[in-house]
């Protein structure tokens, strides 16, 4: 039955870090009759809470662990909403669009929250990294339009490991692993590493597409 609610191809971080909790919780929430769109909104509310804590409270660095935990919870809920929709037959075009928009807003809230909150002492460096992050995403995912659909993104049978460091792994690096360094510059270093790895992955993909 798990195959019904899980995607046949998905990021390894999702399968390893989130699905072990997301799958049983999806069944539980589905039996309770919780609507998947309500779960999507809950994911956004968790991000709003994290943003408020970052921006309006001058918390010690140990609270970076709390921010990482809140990101995990937000991402977990994002994994659950689609599973509940598939399990209960409540998939809809509106729900898919809501999920997509919420994903984008959630990530922005976390990144901007760090820049104007915990990283305010080095805000310019952090802001430039976030700016480069979105420029790279625009160039690789929209401007170049590499023509890779989500259905084959992790299909290794095609002779290319497209997902060795996709946007999913990048999010985990930037918003889950980086905070546990517990220092501002540690977050910045992990952010830079994640951008480098994502860029390498996209350049390899771009090279493969141009050689066809």
């Amino acid at each position: 039955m798990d195959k019904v609610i899980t995607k046949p191809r998905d990021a390894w971080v999702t399968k390893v870090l989130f699905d072990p909790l997301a799958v049983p919780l999806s069944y539980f929430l589905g039996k309770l009759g919780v609507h998947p769109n309500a779960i999507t909104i809950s994911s956004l509310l968790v991000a709003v809470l994290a943003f408020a804590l970052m921006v309006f409270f001058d918390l010690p660095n140990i609270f970076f662990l709390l921010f990482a935990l809140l990101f995990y919870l937000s991402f977990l809920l994002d994994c659950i909403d689609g599973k509940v929709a598939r399990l209960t037959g409540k998939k809809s075009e509106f729900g898919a669009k809501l999920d997509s928009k919420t994903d984008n807003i959630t990530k922005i809230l976390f990144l901007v929250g760090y820049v104007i909150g915990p990283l305010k002492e080095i805000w310019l460096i952090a802001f430039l990294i976030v700016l480069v992050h979105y420029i790279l995403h625009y160039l690789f995912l929209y401007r170049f339009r590499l023509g890779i659909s989500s259905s084959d993104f992790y299909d290794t049978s095609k002779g290319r490991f497209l997902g060795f460091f996709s946007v999913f792994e990048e999010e985990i690096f930037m918003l889950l692993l980086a905070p546990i360094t517990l220092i501002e510059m540690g977050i910045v270093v992990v952010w830079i590493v994640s951008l480098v790895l994502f860029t390498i992955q996209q350049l390899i993909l771009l090279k493969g597409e141009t050689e066809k």
Side-chain angles (χ1 to χ4, degrees):
M1 185 65 177
D2 290 354
K3 293 181 179 180
V4 175
I5 65 172
T6 56
K7 298 176 182 178
R9 303 185 184 98
D10 208 344
W12 67 267
V13 291
T14 302
K15 292 182 177 295
V16 173
L17 298 180
F18 295 93
D19 277 356
L21 275 178
V23 170
L25 285 174
S26 297
Y27 284 115
F28 176 71
L29 294 175
K31 289 180 179 179
L32 290 179
V34 179
H35 199 283
N37 290 349
I39 301 173
T40 302
I41 296 298
S42 298
S43 173
L44 177 61
L45 292 177
V46 171
V48 171
L49 172 61
F51 180 83
L53 290 174
M54 292 177 187
V55 175
F56 300 112
F57 296 88
D58 189 12
L59 300 172
N61 288 10
I62 190 66
F63 277 83
F64 289 171
L65 295 177
L66 175 61
F67 303 150
L69 178 62
L70 289 174
F71 171 74
Y72 181 90
L73 177 59
S74 179
F75 199 107
L76 179 66
L77 290 169
D78 180 52
C79 293
I80 290 173
D81 58 5
K83 291 177 172 58
V84 172
R86 290 187 287 273
L87 180 65
T88 59
K90 294 180 179 178
K91 293 192 296 183
S92 67
E93 183 178 351
F94 172 79
K97 290 182 178 179
L98 177 65
D99 181 59
S100 177
K101 298 297 182 184
T102 300
D103 288 350
N104 293 331
I105 295 173
T106 294
K107 188 172 183 179
I108 291 173
L109 285 173
F110 272 98
L111 290 176
V112 174
Y114 275 111
V115 172
I116 63 180
L119 303 181
K120 59 181 178 293
E121 298 297 328
I122 50 174
W123 72 269
L124 182 58
I125 297 174
F127 169 76
L128 289 175
I129 294 173
V130 172
L131 179 62
V132 170
H133 162 82
Y134 280 105
I135 290 175
L136 288 175
H137 273 244
Y138 170 75
L139 289 176
F140 287 124
L141 304 182
Y142 298 101
R143 181 66 176 179
F144 295 146
R145 294 186 180 276
L146 299 177
I148 304 301
S149 66
S150 58
S151 63
D152 66 5
F153 204 79
Y154 293 90
D155 188 356
T156 56
S157 67
K158 297 187 177 184
R160 53 187 181 186
F161 189 19
L162 304 182
F164 82 85
F165 199 84
S166 71
V167 292
F168 300 101
E169 286 81 14
E170 185 192 31
E171 287 180 353
I172 296 302
F173 264 59
M174 295 184 76
L175 299 174
L176 188 60
L177 296 183
I180 67 176
T181 63
L182 297 181
I183 54 175
E184 294 87 344
M185 286 308 299
I187 292 176
V188 166
V189 169
V190 176
W191 283 11
I192 292 173
V193 170
S194 69
L195 289 181
V196 170
L197 290 175
F198 175 74
T199 302
I200 292 173
Q201 192 262 5
Q202 292 295 309
L203 288 175
I204 292 173
L205 180 55
L206 181 62
K207 183 175 183 293
E209 291 297 305
T210 56
E211 288 179 349
K212 288 184 178 179

